[in-house]
Amino acid sequence: MSTADLVPLPVVLPLLAAGTKFAIGVRWPRLQRAISVGTLTAVLVVAVLLLIAADRHGPQVAAIGGWQPPIGIVLVADRLSALMLAISAAVTLCVLVYSYGQGSADEEEGLPLAVFHPTYLVLAAGISNAFLAGDLFNLYVGFEILLVASYVLITLGGTASRIRSGTTYVIVSLLSSLLFLAAIGLVYGATGTLNLADLALKLRELDPDIRLVLELSLLLAFGIKAAVFPMSAWLPDSYPTAPAPVTAVFAGLLTKVGVYAVIRTETLLFPDDDRVAALLMVIALLTMVVGILGAVAQTDVKRMLSFTLVSHIGYMIFGVALGSQLGLSGAIFYAIHHITIQTTLFLTAGMIERVAGSTSSERIGGLAKTAPLLAILFFLPAMNLAGIPPFSGFIGKVALIEGGVQDGSWLAWTLVAGSVVTSLLTLYAVGKAWSRVFWRSPRVSLPTRDAATGPGTLAGEAAAPGPGPARGGAGEDVSGATIGGRDITRGGRMPRLMTGATAALVVLGLAFTVFAGPLTGVTDRAAVELRDRAGYVRAVAPVALLRTPDGYVIGPPATIPPGFSDSGADDPAPRRTPGPRATPTPGATP
Amino acid sequence: MSVSLVLAILVGVLVAGGVVLLLERSLTRVLLGAVLLGNGINVMILTMGGVAKEAPIIGENAQADQNDPLPQVMILTAIVITFAVTAFLLALAYRSWQLQGHDEVQDDVEDRLVATRREAEELEDTGADADLEAAQDARAAVEETASPDDDAAITRDA
């Protein structure tokens, strides 16, 4: 059995496990937990194996059902896919453990959890499918799997605020899916194929203007999913009301799936189009600046984090727009870093909610005394997000800025300046939140275990302290709520599983700093692989369909035309040291 | 590749109707808009298969006369997905109606708080604890039109 046979497992295993869990229902909680944790651990192991195999031996390809591409669909794990898959598996596993901690702390057994956990596994399967898809339509199906699961998760419990925010989310996602579907229809109409490798070959033969239309319609669909600036308003509106584990995994992974799709299409299908690169740069700048200005204006920690999430998507788009090896490597590194950090921050926001009963920095304060460990768990990823030097956020930003300087056009220089300003404003936003929530003396008395409602009582607002402004929370939109929609149990001891899972993610974030060398090695090689598209196409080896009077016959694997790869494919040695680029983009002034 | 003009016009009408309905504030209309839009796009994919020919069954028809089956397969998948999402949206609209008596898409309370913050800050100079009170006022102003809170929803459930 070769490693290529492992490729379908990250999709199949969570789906099977989800089905099993639905069948079991609420019985045997221990077995339930074992299934979930075991499945996601297995996915993590498979993803790491795939990453090693893809790094050593090139893309791992599994033709589903034995049908050859482009007739059948393929799942492809190249370095980028496998790396994203590994990080997403690690993050979903940690969030799962956290949700078990939260569920048991809120004494929530029964219906919501019986829905939550299987749906969560379906979400994991959808994410894996999107990362592994080697076919545009399969990518759409992957998106739909994860989106439908996310619809259920974001409206879990069906409370008024979740229905309100869920409505926005569902409609926007539905619209982006329809746009994606329309783009797929156009691509099929223009080329007659949807296999990514086959498309890479066939799109070259199209009229550049038609190619531009196809590229922009795909980018529009992915842009909504990735929450890129003009299409980002839905995100800070809908994420904060969901339960902490759901928000965390959405923030970490769902937008990054969109970013992944942008990277994949921009590198494999439409490389080196200067018009679109310039457009992407402008969009990246606007995403960064508008997003972070939104974050500065917020007083609620969760909403502030949602805005920083939007803002930092701009960095990845910046890297993609550069299109150079350095830029792509920086974008991939930044995506990995950001998945982990943003998830961690949302998990700590969930813990703040549990300790203080709110995430609004208008109401809470002085948590550093009552919850010193939490203060550290928030502080480390917050500084990492802002890009303070030893952390991985700094490394990612430096790589991107280096790429921008190397590009040298005035637009790239503007982007460099914009990213530095964004970074400083991020530091200001998270610093303000941290000092308000943790540092200054509390303005209102914190709710204690005694003041809090007991776990069976449903009158949640009775838990709010009498004096102070918290009483005004009668239309409070962003309030702590359990997975099932009740108020969370406040005060008391932090469940160990929640602390442990968050700490594990903080450590993972720090590990990116410690092992930055090997990691940038991998992202560099991934960037080289992305720029040298021939490796991907050769691995998938779409056969040529020859038209005969009787229809089609399968011909030999398509040959790669000369001039197909646009990078120095003969010089695969990745180097991070800035130097003259192998192939300078025309139009870039040195 | 030639395309049927009737189908092309049909796509245009369906998509246009869908977009108009999607811009409405009532969730039921939005839902209908999504259905129209989805169908319009499905018809568009169908036209991408080229002119209509015989059924693609080997042995039944000569291979040169067969339709391209792939767009139809894609449409089938898309129909299934749209169907599931439509069912979900219907459930959302019903739940929204159950909670609020109507199914209109609502503004975000926090957004409006931020929007009214300036007024709240102007009131700040009037008294000692004024910023909190001002925030209260702003909140109260928002609440007049906002949804009933979560607790009301839950008690109604219980």
Side-chain angles (χ1 to χ4, degrees), chain A residues 345-389:
Chain A
L345 282 171
F346 272 105
L347 289 185
T348 53
M351 290 164 77
I352 293 173
E353 213 165 46
R354 180 164 299 271
V355 174
S358 167
T359 50
S360 170
S361 61
E362 297 276 322
R363 302 180 184 189
I364 55 179
L367 289 190
K369 260 184 201 151
T370 43
L373 180 61
L374 181 56
I376 296 170
L377 287 183
F378 186 83
F379 186 75
L380 288 178
M383 289 303 111
N384 203 335
L385 183 73
I388 295 294

Side-chain angles (χ1 to χ4, degrees), chain B residues 64-145:
Chain B
D65 297 335
Q66 289 178 3
N67 230 342
D68 184 358
L70 207 58
Q72 301 173 17
V73 174
M74 290 193 288
I75 293 170
L76 269 184
T77 316
I79 287 175
V80 173
I81 291 170
T82 320
F83 173 67
V85 177
T86 308
F88 188 81
L89 264 177
L90 265 178
L92 263 189
Y94 177 67
R95 180 71 180 151
S96 179
W97 175 80
Q98 214 178 17
L99 290 172
Q100 288 147 8
H102 59 82
D103 64 346
E104 301 211 331
V105 181
Q106 308 215 332
D107 284 343
D108 186 359
V109 181
E110 286 283 326
D111 268 356
R112 293 173 62 173
L113 269 184
V114 172
T116 51
R117 191 191 289 162
R118 171 175 275 247
E119 290 168 37
E121 275 166 7
E122 278 166 8
L123 289 171
E124 196 173 336
D125 306 329
T126 55
D129 210 6
D131 58 332
L132 295 180
E133 280 172 20
Q136 291 287 299
D137 291 346
R139 199 177 282 275
V142 167
E143 272 159 24
E144 281 173 16
T145 49

